[in-house]
Amino acid sequence: MNEELKTEIPDEPRVSRRRRQQEDNTPKRTTVCPDCGSTDLIGDYERAEVVCANCGLVIDENIVDMGPEWRAFDHEQRDKRTRVGAPITYTIHDKGLSTMIDWRNKDIYGRDIPARNRAQWYRLRKWQRKIRISGATERNLAFALSELDRDSSRLGLPRSVRESASVVYRSAVENKLIRGRSIEGVVAASLYAACRRCKVPRTLDEIAEVSRVTKKEVGRTYRFLTRELNIKLPPTSPVDYVPRFASELGLSGEVQSKSIEIIEKAMEKGLTSGRGPTGVAAAALYIASVLLGERKTQRDVAEVAGVTEVTIRNRYKELTEQLEMGVTL
DNA sequence: AAGACGAAAGTGGTTGA
DNA sequence: TCAACAACTTTCGTCTT
Protein backbone atom coordinates (compact mmCIF):
# COMPACT_ATOMS: atom_id res chain seq x y z
CA MET A 1 0.00 0.00 0.00
CA ASN A 2 2.79 2.35 0.89
CA GLU A 3 4.64 1.42 -2.26
CA GLU A 4 1.74 2.50 -4.41
CA LEU A 5 1.51 5.80 -2.66
CA LYS A 6 5.21 6.39 -3.07
CA THR A 7 5.09 5.86 -6.79
CA GLU A 8 2.50 8.57 -7.09
CA ILE A 9 4.50 11.10 -5.16
CA PRO A 10 7.22 12.48 -7.40
CA ASP A 11 10.74 12.24 -6.09
CA GLU A 12 11.67 15.41 -4.36
CA PRO A 13 15.21 16.56 -5.07
CA ARG A 14 15.43 18.47 -1.80
CA VAL A 15 15.32 15.27 0.23
CA SER A 16 18.71 14.50 1.63
CA ARG A 17 20.55 11.47 0.35
CA ARG A 18 20.58 9.92 3.78
CA ARG A 19 16.82 9.99 4.14
CA ARG A 20 16.28 8.69 0.62
CA GLN A 21 18.53 5.75 1.37
CA GLN A 22 16.67 4.97 4.52
CA GLU A 23 13.38 4.91 2.69
CA ASP A 24 14.63 2.81 -0.19
CA ASN A 25 15.96 0.23 2.18
CA THR A 26 12.61 -0.17 3.86
CA PRO A 27 11.62 -3.79 3.33
CA LYS A 28 8.75 -3.97 0.90
CA ARG A 29 6.33 -6.69 1.77
CA THR A 30 2.73 -7.34 0.94
CA THR A 31 0.46 -6.46 3.83
CA VAL A 32 -2.92 -6.69 2.14
CA CYS A 33 -4.49 -9.65 0.43
CA PRO A 34 -4.88 -8.75 -3.27
CA ASP A 35 -7.93 -10.95 -3.51
CA CYS A 36 -10.19 -10.02 -0.62
CA GLY A 37 -8.39 -6.98 0.80
CA SER A 38 -8.01 -8.48 4.26
CA THR A 39 -4.96 -7.39 6.21
CA ASP A 40 -5.05 -10.53 8.28
CA LEU A 41 -2.12 -12.44 6.82
CA ILE A 42 -0.46 -15.44 8.39
CA GLY A 43 3.17 -16.31 7.85
CA ASP A 44 3.61 -20.07 7.75
CA TYR A 45 7.37 -20.44 8.05
CA GLU A 46 7.29 -24.22 8.11
CA ARG A 47 6.08 -24.21 4.53
CA ALA A 48 7.56 -20.81 3.68
CA GLU A 49 4.23 -19.32 2.63
CA VAL A 50 2.19 -16.25 3.45
CA VAL A 51 -1.47 -17.08 3.55
CA CYS A 52 -4.52 -14.80 3.82
CA ALA A 53 -6.40 -15.73 6.97
CA ASN A 54 -9.65 -14.61 5.42
CA CYS A 55 -9.84 -16.32 2.02
CA GLY A 56 -6.91 -18.74 2.16
CA LEU A 57 -5.10 -17.29 -0.85
CA VAL A 58 -1.38 -18.04 -0.86
CA ILE A 59 0.14 -14.63 -1.33
CA ASP A 60 3.83 -15.27 -1.14
CA GLU A 61 5.96 -18.35 -1.39
CA ASN A 62 9.58 -19.12 -0.58
CA ILE A 63 9.67 -16.33 1.94
CA VAL A 64 12.57 -15.68 4.20
CA ASP A 65 11.96 -16.54 7.83
CA MET A 66 12.06 -13.21 9.62
CA GLY A 67 11.97 -14.76 13.05
CA PRO A 68 14.92 -14.98 15.43
CA GLU A 69 17.57 -17.59 14.73
CA TRP A 70 17.94 -18.27 18.45
CA ARG A 71 15.61 -19.88 20.91
CA ALA A 72 14.74 -18.67 24.37
CA PHE A 73 13.36 -20.87 27.09
CA ASP A 74 12.37 -18.24 29.60
CA HIS A 75 11.72 -14.54 29.81
CA GLU A 76 15.18 -13.65 31.01
CA GLN A 77 16.87 -15.38 28.08
CA ARG A 78 14.52 -13.68 25.66
CA ASP A 79 15.40 -10.28 27.09
CA LYS A 80 19.08 -10.98 26.79
CA ARG A 81 19.04 -12.35 23.28
CA THR A 82 16.66 -9.94 21.64
CA ARG A 83 18.64 -7.46 19.61
CA VAL A 84 15.91 -5.52 17.88
CA GLY A 85 13.14 -3.11 18.85
CA ALA A 86 9.71 -2.22 17.64
CA PRO A 87 9.07 -1.99 13.86
CA ILE A 88 9.51 1.41 12.28
CA THR A 89 6.35 3.40 11.90
CA TYR A 90 5.46 6.60 10.10
CA THR A 91 3.13 7.65 12.88
CA ILE A 92 5.96 8.67 15.19
CA HIS A 93 7.92 11.70 14.12
CA ASP A 94 11.27 9.86 14.11
CA LYS A 95 9.68 6.66 12.78
CA GLY A 96 10.10 5.07 16.17
CA LEU A 97 13.86 4.90 15.71
CA SER A 98 14.90 7.20 18.54
CA THR A 99 17.16 6.12 21.35
CA MET A 100 15.67 5.93 24.80
CA ILE A 101 17.57 6.63 27.97
CA ASP A 102 15.88 5.23 31.01
CA TRP A 103 15.19 7.63 33.86
CA ARG A 104 16.25 5.01 36.36
CA ASN A 105 19.91 4.63 37.10
CA LYS A 106 20.09 1.08 35.79
CA ASP A 107 21.77 -0.38 32.74
CA ILE A 108 19.91 -2.72 30.37
CA TYR A 109 20.62 -5.71 32.53
CA GLY A 110 19.15 -3.96 35.54
CA ARG A 111 22.45 -3.34 37.28
CA ASP A 112 22.94 -0.09 39.13
CA ILE A 113 24.96 2.62 37.47
CA PRO A 114 28.03 3.38 39.55
CA ALA A 115 27.80 6.70 41.36
CA ARG A 116 30.85 8.09 39.58
CA ASN A 117 28.99 7.86 36.24
CA ARG A 118 25.74 9.43 37.40
CA ALA A 119 26.67 12.97 36.38
CA GLN A 120 27.57 11.77 32.91
CA TRP A 121 24.17 10.08 32.59
CA TYR A 122 22.40 13.17 33.71
CA ARG A 123 24.13 15.14 30.93
CA LEU A 124 23.34 12.44 28.39
CA ARG A 125 19.66 12.61 29.23
CA LYS A 126 19.62 16.35 28.92
CA TRP A 127 21.14 16.23 25.43
CA GLN A 128 18.90 13.38 24.46
CA ARG A 129 15.85 15.48 25.23
CA LYS A 130 17.22 18.37 23.22
CA ILE A 131 18.22 16.31 20.21
CA ARG A 132 15.16 14.11 19.93
CA ILE A 133 12.93 16.91 18.82
CA SER A 134 15.23 19.41 17.20
CA GLY A 135 14.49 21.90 14.52
CA ALA A 136 11.24 23.31 13.23
CA THR A 137 10.44 20.37 10.98
CA GLU A 138 10.82 17.85 13.76
CA ARG A 139 8.66 19.89 16.09
CA ASN A 140 6.08 20.32 13.38
CA LEU A 141 5.99 16.59 12.72
CA ALA A 142 5.80 15.69 16.38
CA PHE A 143 2.86 18.00 16.91
CA ALA A 144 1.09 17.05 13.71
CA LEU A 145 1.41 13.33 14.28
CA SER A 146 -0.02 13.53 17.75
CA GLU A 147 -2.87 15.54 16.29
CA LEU A 148 -3.30 12.90 13.63
CA ASP A 149 -3.44 10.21 16.25
CA ARG A 150 -6.06 12.11 18.22
CA ASP A 151 -8.28 12.68 15.19
CA SER A 152 -8.03 9.17 13.89
CA SER A 153 -8.76 7.54 17.20
CA ARG A 154 -11.82 9.72 17.58
CA LEU A 155 -12.91 8.51 14.17
CA GLY A 156 -12.06 4.92 15.09
CA LEU A 157 -9.75 4.47 12.12
CA PRO A 158 -7.53 1.40 11.77
CA ARG A 159 -3.73 1.54 11.96
CA SER A 160 -3.24 1.19 8.24
CA VAL A 161 -5.08 4.44 7.61
CA ARG A 162 -3.02 6.28 10.21
CA GLU A 163 0.21 5.07 8.63
CA SER A 164 -1.05 6.11 5.23
CA ALA A 165 -2.08 9.53 6.50
CA SER A 166 1.31 10.01 8.14
CA VAL A 167 3.02 9.28 4.85
CA VAL A 168 0.87 11.87 3.09
CA TYR A 169 1.59 14.44 5.78
CA ARG A 170 5.33 13.76 5.65
CA SER A 171 5.45 14.34 1.94
CA ALA A 172 3.47 17.53 2.43
CA VAL A 173 6.14 18.70 4.87
CA GLU A 174 8.98 17.63 2.61
CA ASN A 175 7.46 19.55 -0.27
CA LYS A 176 7.10 22.60 1.95
CA LEU A 177 3.35 22.81 1.53
CA ILE A 178 2.54 23.59 5.13
CA ARG A 179 3.57 27.22 5.13
CA GLY A 180 0.54 29.46 5.12
CA ARG A 181 -1.75 26.65 6.14
CA SER A 182 -2.66 25.42 9.58
CA ILE A 183 -1.07 22.17 10.69
CA GLU A 184 -4.47 20.96 11.79
CA GLY A 185 -5.91 21.65 8.36
CA VAL A 186 -3.20 19.68 6.61
CA VAL A 187 -3.53 16.86 9.13
CA ALA A 188 -7.27 16.68 8.49
CA ALA A 189 -6.77 16.73 4.74
CA SER A 190 -4.11 13.99 4.91
CA LEU A 191 -6.48 11.92 6.94
CA TYR A 192 -9.29 12.45 4.46
CA ALA A 193 -7.03 11.42 1.60
CA ALA A 194 -5.81 8.35 3.49
CA CYS A 195 -9.37 7.30 4.23
CA ARG A 196 -10.26 7.43 0.59
CA ARG A 197 -7.10 5.63 -0.44
CA CYS A 198 -7.75 2.83 2.02
CA LYS A 199 -11.39 2.58 0.98
CA VAL A 200 -12.75 3.38 4.39
CA PRO A 201 -14.24 6.72 3.40
CA ARG A 202 -15.23 9.31 5.95
CA THR A 203 -17.12 12.35 4.77
CA LEU A 204 -15.62 15.81 4.96
CA ASP A 205 -18.23 16.53 7.62
CA GLU A 206 -17.05 13.67 9.80
CA ILE A 207 -13.43 14.74 9.53
CA ALA A 208 -14.30 18.35 10.27
CA GLU A 209 -16.30 17.19 13.28
CA VAL A 210 -13.32 15.74 15.16
CA SER A 211 -10.81 18.26 13.92
CA ARG A 212 -10.62 21.92 14.82
CA VAL A 213 -11.03 22.83 11.19
CA THR A 214 -14.09 23.68 9.15
CA LYS A 215 -15.34 21.41 6.41
CA LYS A 216 -14.54 24.06 3.86
CA GLU A 217 -10.95 24.29 4.97
CA VAL A 218 -10.46 20.51 4.93
CA GLY A 219 -11.84 20.32 1.42
CA ARG A 220 -9.71 23.19 0.18
CA THR A 221 -6.52 21.82 1.71
CA TYR A 222 -7.32 18.36 0.41
CA ARG A 223 -7.67 19.62 -3.13
CA PHE A 224 -4.44 21.55 -2.75
CA LEU A 225 -2.56 18.50 -1.47
CA THR A 226 -3.80 16.17 -4.18
CA ARG A 227 -2.83 18.70 -6.81
CA GLU A 228 0.62 19.48 -5.45
CA LEU A 229 1.55 15.93 -4.53
CA ASN A 230 0.04 14.42 -7.67
CA ILE A 231 -2.11 12.08 -5.66
CA LYS A 232 -4.78 10.70 -7.91
CA LEU A 233 -7.76 9.26 -6.12
CA PRO A 234 -10.80 7.94 -7.95
CA PRO A 235 -14.07 9.45 -6.81
CA THR A 236 -15.46 7.64 -3.81
CA SER A 237 -17.79 4.83 -4.72
CA PRO A 238 -21.10 4.60 -2.83
CA VAL A 239 -20.25 0.94 -2.30
CA ASP A 240 -17.50 1.91 0.14
CA TYR A 241 -20.05 3.48 2.46
CA VAL A 242 -22.42 0.53 2.49
CA PRO A 243 -20.82 -1.70 5.15
CA ARG A 244 -20.41 1.12 7.63
CA PHE A 245 -23.92 2.53 7.24
CA ALA A 246 -25.40 -0.96 7.28
CA SER A 247 -23.73 -1.91 10.52
CA GLU A 248 -24.72 1.37 12.14
CA LEU A 249 -28.29 0.61 11.16
CA GLY A 250 -28.02 -2.99 12.33
CA LEU A 251 -28.82 -4.37 8.90
CA SER A 252 -27.91 -7.89 7.80
CA GLY A 253 -25.27 -8.94 5.31
CA GLU A 254 -27.93 -9.79 2.78
CA VAL A 255 -29.17 -6.24 2.76
CA GLN A 256 -25.61 -5.11 2.25
CA SER A 257 -25.03 -7.29 -0.77
CA LYS A 258 -28.42 -6.35 -2.18
CA SER A 259 -27.63 -2.66 -1.93
CA ILE A 260 -24.20 -3.17 -3.47
CA GLU A 261 -25.94 -4.96 -6.30
CA ILE A 262 -28.31 -2.04 -6.72
CA ILE A 263 -25.45 0.46 -6.70
CA GLU A 264 -23.52 -1.47 -9.31
CA LYS A 265 -26.53 -1.53 -11.61
CA ALA A 266 -27.01 2.15 -11.05
CA MET A 267 -23.38 2.85 -11.87
CA GLU A 268 -23.72 0.99 -15.16
CA LYS A 269 -26.60 3.23 -16.11
CA GLY A 270 -24.66 6.31 -15.05
CA LEU A 271 -27.10 7.19 -12.32
CA THR A 272 -24.37 7.82 -9.78
CA SER A 273 -22.21 10.32 -11.60
CA GLY A 274 -22.51 13.77 -10.19
CA ARG A 275 -24.54 12.49 -7.24
CA GLY A 276 -23.21 12.50 -3.74
CA PRO A 277 -21.99 9.00 -2.96
CA THR A 278 -23.50 9.04 0.52
CA GLY A 279 -26.93 9.84 -0.89
CA VAL A 280 -26.75 6.99 -3.39
CA ALA A 281 -25.52 4.58 -0.73
CA ALA A 282 -28.32 5.65 1.60
CA ALA A 283 -31.01 5.21 -1.05
CA ALA A 284 -29.68 1.79 -2.08
CA LEU A 285 -29.63 0.68 1.54
CA TYR A 286 -33.15 1.96 2.06
CA ILE A 287 -34.44 0.11 -0.99
CA ALA A 288 -32.63 -3.08 -0.02
CA SER A 289 -33.93 -2.91 3.52
CA VAL A 290 -37.50 -2.60 2.25
CA LEU A 291 -37.10 -5.34 -0.34
CA LEU A 292 -35.73 -7.81 2.16
CA GLY A 293 -38.26 -6.99 4.86
CA GLU A 294 -35.86 -5.26 7.25
CA ARG A 295 -37.47 -1.90 6.73
CA LYS A 296 -35.78 1.14 8.17
CA THR A 297 -37.37 4.56 8.09
CA GLN A 298 -36.01 7.12 5.68
CA ARG A 299 -35.13 9.27 8.64
CA ASP A 300 -32.99 6.59 10.26
CA VAL A 301 -31.08 5.94 7.09
CA ALA A 302 -30.75 9.65 6.42
CA GLU A 303 -29.36 10.15 9.91
CA VAL A 304 -26.46 7.71 9.66
CA ALA A 305 -25.66 8.67 6.08
CA GLY A 306 -25.60 12.37 6.89
CA VAL A 307 -28.06 13.34 4.16
CA THR A 308 -31.68 14.44 4.28
CA GLU A 309 -34.76 12.33 3.69
CA VAL A 310 -35.49 14.40 0.62
CA THR A 311 -32.23 13.35 -0.97
CA ILE A 312 -32.95 9.72 -0.26
CA ARG A 313 -36.36 10.12 -1.84
CA ASN A 314 -34.92 11.75 -4.94
CA ARG A 315 -32.25 9.10 -5.34
CA TYR A 316 -34.53 6.20 -4.76
CA LYS A 317 -37.11 7.56 -7.13
CA GLU A 318 -34.44 7.70 -9.84
CA LEU A 319 -33.18 4.25 -8.95
CA THR A 320 -36.54 2.50 -8.91
CA GLU A 321 -37.69 4.19 -12.09
CA GLN A 322 -34.56 3.64 -14.15
CA LEU A 323 -33.66 0.19 -12.94
CA GLU A 324 -37.19 -1.09 -13.59
CA MET A 325 -37.18 -3.00 -10.41
CA GLY A 326 -40.86 -3.71 -10.82
CA VAL A 327 -41.42 -3.80 -7.12
CA THR A 328 -43.84 -1.56 -5.34
CA LEU A 329 -42.28 -0.14 -2.25
C1' DA B 1 -49.43 9.58 15.32
C1' DA B 2 -45.62 8.34 12.62
C1' DG B 3 -43.82 8.02 8.36
C1' DA B 4 -43.74 9.01 3.40
C1' DC B 5 -44.27 12.26 -0.25
C1' DG B 6 -43.53 16.44 -2.94
C1' DA B 7 -43.35 21.48 -3.86
C1' DA B 8 -40.86 25.62 -3.19
C1' DA B 9 -37.31 28.41 -1.66
C1' DG B 10 -32.55 28.70 0.05
C1' DT B 11 -27.41 27.34 0.33
C1' DG B 12 -22.56 26.47 -0.95
C1' DG B 13 -19.61 25.11 -4.50
C1' DT B 14 -18.21 24.59 -9.49
C1' DT B 15 -17.79 26.25 -14.18
C1' DG B 16 -17.07 29.14 -17.96
C1' DA B 17 -16.98 33.73 -19.91
C1' DT C 1 -14.98 38.53 -10.87
C1' DC C 2 -19.56 37.36 -11.82
C1' DA C 3 -23.60 34.90 -13.28
C1' DA C 4 -25.50 30.43 -14.40
C1' DC C 5 -26.06 25.99 -12.77
C1' DA C 6 -26.74 21.37 -10.51
C1' DA C 7 -26.94 19.03 -6.29
C1' DC C 8 -28.46 19.20 -1.94
C1' DT C 9 -30.91 21.13 2.22
C1' DT C 10 -34.67 23.26 4.81
C1' DT C 11 -39.28 23.90 5.54
C1' DC C 12 -43.88 22.89 5.40
C1' DG C 13 -48.35 21.10 3.98
C1' DT C 14 -50.69 16.83 2.51
C1' DC C 15 -51.41 11.95 2.08
C1' DT C 16 -51.03 7.01 3.80
C1' DT C 17 -50.69 3.33 7.03
Side-chain angles (χ1 to χ4, degrees), chain A residues 11-181:
Chain A
D11 261 354
E12 171 53 52
R14 272 169 295 199
V15 181
S16 73
R17 182 186 296 166
R18 179 137 177 224
R19 161 156 278 169
R20 168 108 30 97
Q21 239 169 26
Q22 192 179 37
E23 278 177 2
D24 281 348
N25 290 341
T26 309
K28 291 179 178 174
R29 297 191 51 201
T30 323
T31 52
V32 182
C33 173
D35 200 32
C36 65
S38 165
T39 51
D40 202 3
L41 305 184
I42 296 175
D44 182 347
Y45 293 111
E46 300 285 312
R47 284 187 230 148
E49 287 174 351
V50 175
V51 183
C52 172
N54 191 33
C55 64
L57 181 75
V58 177
I59 291 161
D60 206 353
E61 289 179 277
N62 302 321
I63 51 167
V64 178
D65 188 342
M66 306 289 261
E69 79 285 6
W70 41 262
R71 292 198 294 167
F73 297 99
D74 57 34
H75 188 69
E76 198 184 334
Q77 283 184 3
R78 169 170 285 275
D79 270 355
K80 277 193 177 174
R81 294 180 185 179
T82 302
R83 301 185 297 271
V84 294
I88 73 161
T89 172
Y90 289 96
T91 53
I92 301 176
H93 78 279
D94 52 18
K95 303 186 188 176
L97 289 173
S98 57
T99 307
M100 309 276 213
I101 300 180
D102 204 346
W103 56 272
R104 284 166 301 187
N105 287 318
K106 304 266 188 181
D107 68 13
I108 55 164
Y109 297 119
R111 291 187 296 247
D112 283 333
I113 303 288
R116 60 193 151 84
N117 288 344
R118 295 269 167 89
Q120 187 187 9
W121 275 65
Y122 176 76
R123 267 176 279 135
L124 277 173
R125 277 197 208 100
K126 197 165 116 191
W127 279 103
Q128 166 73 4
R129 270 201 307 276
K130 280 190 187 174
I131 289 167
R132 213 166 92 85
I133 300 179
S134 62
T137 313
E138 292 279 300
R139 247 196 307 280
N140 180 321
L141 265 182
F143 175 73
L145 293 174
S146 75
E147 190 71 13
L148 188 80
D149 203 52
R150 193 183 64 94
D151 288 351
S152 44
S153 58
R154 284 178 69 185
L155 286 164
L157 292 169
R159 253 216 105 63
S160 54
V161 180
R162 299 185 196 194
E163 290 281 343
S164 188
S166 318
V167 174
V168 175
Y169 188 86
R170 277 168 194 279
S171 40
V173 174
E174 281 170 20
N175 289 293
K176 310 230 187 316
L177 302 176
I178 314 290
R179 178 150 297 177
R181 255 162 278 275

